[in-house]
Amino acid sequence: MSSSTETPASEDPGRKRRVHGMLKLYYGLNEEGKADEEPQSLDPCDINGPHFDPEHYLNKLRKECSLAELMDQETCMVKQIRSLDSDMQTLVYENYNKFISATDTIRKMKNDFKKMEDEMDCLSANMAAITDFSARISGTLEDQHAQITKLSGVHTLLRKLQFLFELPARLNKCLELQAYSQAVSSHRRARCVLQQYSHMPSFKGIQDDCHAIMDKLAQELRQKFRDGGSSAKDLSECVELLLQLDEPAEDLCEKYLNHAGSRLELDLQSLEAEIRPSPPGPALKDSSTRRPSPSVTVGSPPDGTAKTSALPSPSSNTDILEFIDRGCNEFVSSLCLVITSYQELFVNHAQTGELASKNIPQMANSKLHAFVDDLAARYFSLVERRIKEEKGVADNSLLVRALDRFFRRLQAVAKLLPGSSVPQQGTEIVIRAATERVKQYLAALQSFYMDSLTDVRQALATPRLSLAAPGAGSHFGGSTSGRDAPSSLPELLSSLSASILNQIKSVLASVHLFTAKDITFSNKPYFKGEFCCQGVRESLVVSFIKFVCQSSRQFCESAGDKGGSTPPALLLLLSRLCLDYETSTISYILTLTDEQFLAQHHNPVTAVTALCAEAREAAQKLLNHYVKVQGLIISQMLRKSVETRDWVNTIEPRNVRAVMKRVVEDTTSIDVQVGLLYEEGVRKAHSSDSSKRTFSVYSSSRQQTRYAASYTPSAPMDTNLLSNIHKLFSERIDIFSSVEFNKVSVMTGIIKISLKTFLECVRLRTFGRYGLQQIQVDCHYLQMYLWRFVSDENLVHFLLDEIVGSSAHRCLDPAPMEQSVIEVICERG
């Protein structure tokens, strides 16, 4: 039952909307109740249109529809007619009720208005009676009104005269009671009158007495103003009274600011006492030379020894935070109190009468700005001097907190004194301090890097350092710290790279304090943009990366002590370090910097590709220099071995010379050393066809083993002609060309330099029979071992052939040794 009763009620609103919609459709109305502006249909078959023709519509249906469709159409129209009739009855019933309700409302309004009209008629009659009664009273009192007005004027004049004659006594009484405000008010009331009638003797005497009393009162007010021990309210009243007594407002402002300035001067002197005066130039220079370079303390150098810790400020007993706190709590707070009281006295105080026309607030405000700017400039000078003493970079949070407190307290001055340049000057000090701290961190990073390289050089000079393979168990530089130091080049490189990266991360974390969310000045546009972009990224990170590359390139200087004393292993290690920077480290550091500082790069910045190119260039230069240095070391041995021997009168060779064995040993050691840091590289396939190899023009045997060449001359013929023909079909060898970043290329470069030196030394000597044979033995021995180090064994064949050919050309009795004998000697050696 409940569901059946609820269904009509729930469908009633929907049914009403449907009915209203059909009616609006019929009358051509939109949702707002206005007629649609669409053109009406002219179709006579449109049953809802105004031009509907029943006969035409019926004829059309008869022609187009079947009987069943006509019956359906009739049924549908009957249903619509019944629905419209029902809806029409419902609407008429609802509107009928509304009309009845409106009629009742109108009837009630008529009754209410009738009562209101009666009340208004009664009120009009009462007002007419009152007007008549008032007119009769005015007529009765009209004769006495003039007499009363005259008597009132005489009474007022007598009271004024009485006030004037009693004024001196009244002023003296107020002076005794210190009722200065009442005395000034009484005198101001009578001053104009006394001035107007000063030509009368009686009024002249009163005026003179009043002037004497007011001069005494003004003197007491000036003394009270100079003392300044009164409350702010009393002081304000004192200033106002002096202004009313025609005291010059400019003098009052000057006196007040001078008195306040003397107290603020004591605060500045107290702050200055905490800062020692700068020492003379030579003394300062001596102290700077004795002081170790600042260094960040996070991380450790490769040898595990502790770096020099950041130095505290040597010239101050208190730290920077205490200094700023004292300055804010004493000077800035006092300055704010002076500004507030001064503004209440001279600027914001409401001026009345003659004082309002003197424009005192504008004059007083200009003097206040000059006063504040002068004192603030001195205070800022002291703050900057104290900030410059912060040379240590170990704990940056102390400086950032001090700058934040300094900047935060200056905002009070900005609120009290709008338009002042003090907040802007304070912001500039914070910016300069942050910039200087970034420079200090850059210097600290550079110092740490150079100290780390010094440690690496010491470690490389230590015999205990194993350069052969990692894990040899040797210790780094004989450290007594008890910790295991890097024992091989890879570990040394890893330790150096990790320590530098840790220092950079530590510095970025310290500098990031300037942009922390809880720091007030971090919201400034400079710290959101230029500081992150130009300050940190460019001036710190990019500059340090460039410094690493530039300082590494300086080790390639062959002239001077710096380049000449550089260990070759250090060149190799630095080249790998720069190459690692080019491949991954630079990109990682700059990505880390951009993520931490979220800088919007509005200004052009150094691209990662440019830094990577610079690092690769440094790595290439270092590796080329390493090849040159190692090649020259081996070349020096070969040159001395050639120049110090008598090749004409030497004995018949029975073994390989010791220097050749030393060359092979050193080359093997260099190969192991380079292999610790660089990959193997690509070698050309070794050919098993002897016809593809380059042989000496004196070679007599073409059937040789794979890795041994013959240097025995054949039948006598023009050696120069054969040698030149051979060179025409040989590739040109560039001795000092750039090497690739792999072991094979490095070793090829070193061997090219060594053998080329050997060749040039041979060309300058004269050989006998046994000298030529010794060169044959030595070259065969070198061929047995050196081919495996180079990318193309033909290069070794060619250079050794050149050496044997040149020695044969320079030989007085060219009688080569048999190949079998050479092989026996080399195998025995």
Side-chain angles (χ1 to χ4, degrees), residues 225-287:
F225 179 76
R226 283 194 296 268
D227 293 342
S230 306
S231 63
K233 181 179 179 181
D234 294 340
L235 200 61
S236 176
E237 181 182 0
C238 179
V239 170
E240 183 179 1
L241 294 178
L242 286 172
L243 291 176
Q244 291 178 2
L245 291 175
D246 296 333
E247 188 78 12
E250 189 171 355
D251 292 346
L252 289 177
C253 294
E254 291 285 352
K255 291 177 181 178
Y256 183 84
L257 293 178
N258 290 337
H259 181 71
S262 62
R263 288 180 295 177
L264 292 172
E265 186 70 26
L266 297 177
D267 295 336
L268 291 176
Q269 292 176 0
S270 176
L271 288 175
E272 190 172 10
E274 296 189 12
I275 307 176
R276 292 182 184 178
S278 300
L284 179 61
K285 183 176 181 180
D286 294 341
S287 64

Side-chain angles (χ1 to χ4, degrees), residues 226-522:
R226 283 194 296 268
D227 293 342
S230 306
S231 63
K233 181 179 179 181
D234 294 340
L235 200 61
S236 176
E237 181 182 0
C238 179
V239 170
E240 183 179 1
L241 294 178
L242 286 172
L243 291 176
Q244 291 178 2
L245 291 175
D246 296 333
E247 188 78 12
E250 189 171 355
D251 292 346
L252 289 177
C253 294
E254 291 285 352
K255 291 177 181 178
Y256 183 84
L257 293 178
N258 290 337
H259 181 71
S262 62
R263 288 180 295 177
L264 292 172
E265 186 70 26
L266 297 177
D267 295 336
L268 291 176
Q269 292 176 0
S270 176
L271 288 175
E272 190 172 10
E274 296 189 12
I275 307 176
R276 292 182 184 178
S278 300
L284 179 61
K285 183 176 181 180
D286 294 341
S287 64
S288 63
T289 56
R290 291 193 300 268
R291 185 182 306 169
S293 59
S295 172
V296 284
T297 57
V298 180
S300 60
D303 61 350
T305 58
K307 291 291 178 188
T308 305
S309 60
L311 294 175
S313 300
S315 59
S316 178
N317 296 326
T318 59
D319 58 36
I320 183 66
L321 185 59
E322 294 177 0
F323 180 84
I324 294 297
D325 271 342
R326 183 170 180 181
C328 292
N329 295 333
E330 294 180 2
F331 175 78
V332 179
S333 297
S334 300
L335 182 63
C336 291
L337 290 176
V338 169
I339 293 173
T340 303
S341 58
Y342 181 89
Q343 288 177 334
E344 290 178 355
L345 294 176
F346 299 103
V347 180
N348 299 331
H349 190 75
Q351 307 291 341
T352 57
E354 297 177 359
L355 297 178
S357 62
K358 294 183 179 181
N359 202 9
I360 294 177
Q362 184 176 358
M363 179 274 299
N365 198 37
S366 63
K367 286 186 172 295
L368 179 61
H369 275 273
F371 172 78
V372 171
D373 290 345
D374 179 62
L375 287 175
R378 295 186 55 193
Y379 172 63
F380 291 154
S381 174
L382 295 177
V383 170
E384 286 201 278
R385 284 175 54 189
R386 182 62 184 84
I387 291 175
K388 289 179 180 179
E389 294 180 359
E390 292 296 308
K391 301 297 184 182
V393 292
D395 185 10
N396 193 45
S397 61
L398 200 65
L399 176 63
V400 174
R401 286 166 54 199
L403 292 176
D404 178 57
R405 199 160 301 178
F406 167 76
F407 180 82
R408 194 190 302 268
R409 292 299 296 270
L410 290 182
Q411 303 312 303
V413 179
K415 294 179 180 178
L416 292 174
L417 197 62
S420 173
S421 61
V422 170
Q424 180 61 30
Q425 294 176 5
T427 303
E428 293 174 357
I429 290 177
V430 174
I431 291 175
R432 286 195 293 269
T435 304
E436 184 63 28
R437 181 46 61 102
V438 169
K439 293 180 181 178
Q440 293 175 3
Y441 273 118
L442 176 60
L445 282 175
Q446 294 173 348
S447 175
F448 175 82
Y449 175 72
M450 298 308 296
D451 291 344
S452 300
L453 290 187
T454 302
D455 296 334
V456 170
R457 296 184 69 162
Q458 293 175 355
L460 293 174
T462 304
R464 298 178 183 179
L465 178 61
S466 172
L467 299 179
S474 60
H475 292 283
F476 188 91
S479 175
T480 59
S481 61
R483 295 184 298 174
D484 291 336
S487 58
S488 66
L489 274 181
E491 293 180 5
L492 192 61
L493 173 64
S494 176
S495 177
L496 175 63
S497 179
S499 63
I500 294 174
L501 188 59
N502 288 336
Q503 293 297 329
I504 294 175
K505 289 181 179 179
S506 174
V507 167
L508 289 179
S510 298
V511 176
H512 189 261
L513 296 175
F514 285 104
T515 60
K517 293 182 179 179
D518 57 340
I519 301 301
T520 309
F521 58 76
S522 64

Side-chain angles (χ1 to χ4, degrees), residues 63-126:
K63 292 178 181 179
E64 296 178 356
C65 300
S66 63
L67 180 60
E69 291 175 347
L70 289 174
M71 295 299 292
D72 293 338
Q73 187 71 18
E74 180 187 12
T75 304
C76 179
M77 293 183 66
V78 170
K79 288 181 179 180
Q80 291 180 1
I81 292 170
R82 289 177 181 175
S83 176
L84 290 174
D85 289 340
S86 176
D87 294 340
M88 184 63 72
Q89 290 176 3
T90 302
L91 289 174
V92 170
Y93 178 74
E94 290 178 354
N95 292 333
Y96 179 73
N97 288 338
K98 292 179 181 178
F99 284 137
I100 292 175
S101 176
T103 303
D104 294 339
T105 303
I106 293 172
R107 187 181 298 111
K108 290 180 181 179
M109 290 175 65
K110 286 183 178 181
N111 294 333
D112 293 339
F113 276 114
K114 186 175 181 181
K115 293 180 181 179
M116 189 179 295
E117 288 178 358
D118 295 339
E119 292 176 357
M120 291 299 295
D121 293 340
C122 180
L123 179 61
S124 178
N126 291 336

Side-chain angles (χ1 to χ4, degrees), residues 1-18:
M1 291 296 291
S2 60
S3 62
S4 64
T5 57
E6 292 176 359
T7 301
S10 62
E11 292 179 355
D12 186 63
R15 186 171 179 274
K16 285 185 178 181
R17 283 196 297 269
R18 187 174 65 255

